């Protein structure tokens, strides 16, 4: 399985996870301001619109990866691009103006051999802004 396919599988799993936690998926893989937002999800009861960066790793059963945790690959530059895209999206989409934006990361851990889901870690407000 290629890296791109693993990423797509991770995003599919993350969307399913969000739906099961009462989020409504508004958009996936949205290109805006020359950047991409993996998932935009709304949780109206909480008044949240979450802009979710999904990071997937293929790991051994002990969940070890020599590349670190999935979220460790969200660099400062990636955070800035995501913030830029988030602002552009909110400026264009007035219907979500009343909701509180939040920038999240969902880490997906897949077993290296068979791509079976091992763990999901949802980091809310991951960028601290």
């Amino acid at each position: 399985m290629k890296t791109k396919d693993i990423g797509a599988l991770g995003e599919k799993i993350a969307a399913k996870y969000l739906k099961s936690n009462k989020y409504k998926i508004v958009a996936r893989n949205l290109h805006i301001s020359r950047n991409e937002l993996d998932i935009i999800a709304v949780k109206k009861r909480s008044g949240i619109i979450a802009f979710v960066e999904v990071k997937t790793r293929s790991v051994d059963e002990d969940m070890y990866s020599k590349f670190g945790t999935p979220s460790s690959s969200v660099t400062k530059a990636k955070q800035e691009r995501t913030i830029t895209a988030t602002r552009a999206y909110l400026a264009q989409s007035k219907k979500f103006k009343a909701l509180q934006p939040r920038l999240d990361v969902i880490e997906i851990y897949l077993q290296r051999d068979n791509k079976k889901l091992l763990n999901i870690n949802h980091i809310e407000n991951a960028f601290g802004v």
Side-chain angles (χ1 to χ4, degrees):
M1 192 175 253
K2 295 181 181 180
T3 303
K4 183 178 178 179
D5 297 329
I6 291 169
L9 177 58
E11 288 179 12
K12 182 178 177 181
I13 292 168
K16 185 176 178 181
Y17 164 84
L18 288 166
K19 288 177 188 175
S20 73
N21 283 281
K22 299 185 173 37
Y23 287 85
K24 179 182 177 196
I25 305 301
V26 175
R28 288 181 59 185
N29 302 103
L30 181 69
H31 293 270
I32 189 166
S33 294
R34 293 182 280 166
N35 298 297
E36 181 186 15
L37 296 169
D38 290 340
I39 298 175
I40 302 171
V42 171
K43 195 168 189 179
K44 284 196 175 178
R45 288 186 181 243
S46 300
I48 298 289
I49 181 167
F51 297 86
V52 183
E53 179 66 24
V54 180
K55 291 298 181 184
T56 307
R57 288 270 193 270
S58 292
V59 295
D60 296 321
E61 280 199 45
D62 62 2
M63 294 195 358
Y64 171 77
S65 169
K66 64 182 176 182
F67 301 107
T69 64
S71 62
S72 67
S73 66
V74 182
T75 63
K76 191 69 171 166
K78 176 61 178 168
Q79 290 178 25
E80 290 170 5
R81 289 191 305 274
T82 301
I83 290 167
T84 298
T86 297
R87 287 182 177 145
Y89 179 82
L90 290 172
Q92 292 175 10
S93 182
K94 305 296 184 201
K95 76 180 196 179
F96 299 119
K97 194 167 183 98
L99 299 176
Q100 176 65 40
R102 191 179 70 203
L103 301 167
D104 296 357
V105 172
I106 293 183
E107 297 178 319
I108 304 291
Y109 293 86
L110 301 176
Q111 189 169 348
R112 188 179 319 279
D113 297 336
N114 61 13
K115 304 307 178 231
K116 176 183 156 196
L117 177 64
L118 293 174
N119 193 39
I120 297 175
N121 184 27
H122 185 180
I123 306 166
E124 296 179 354
N125 196 30
F127 300 177
V129 286

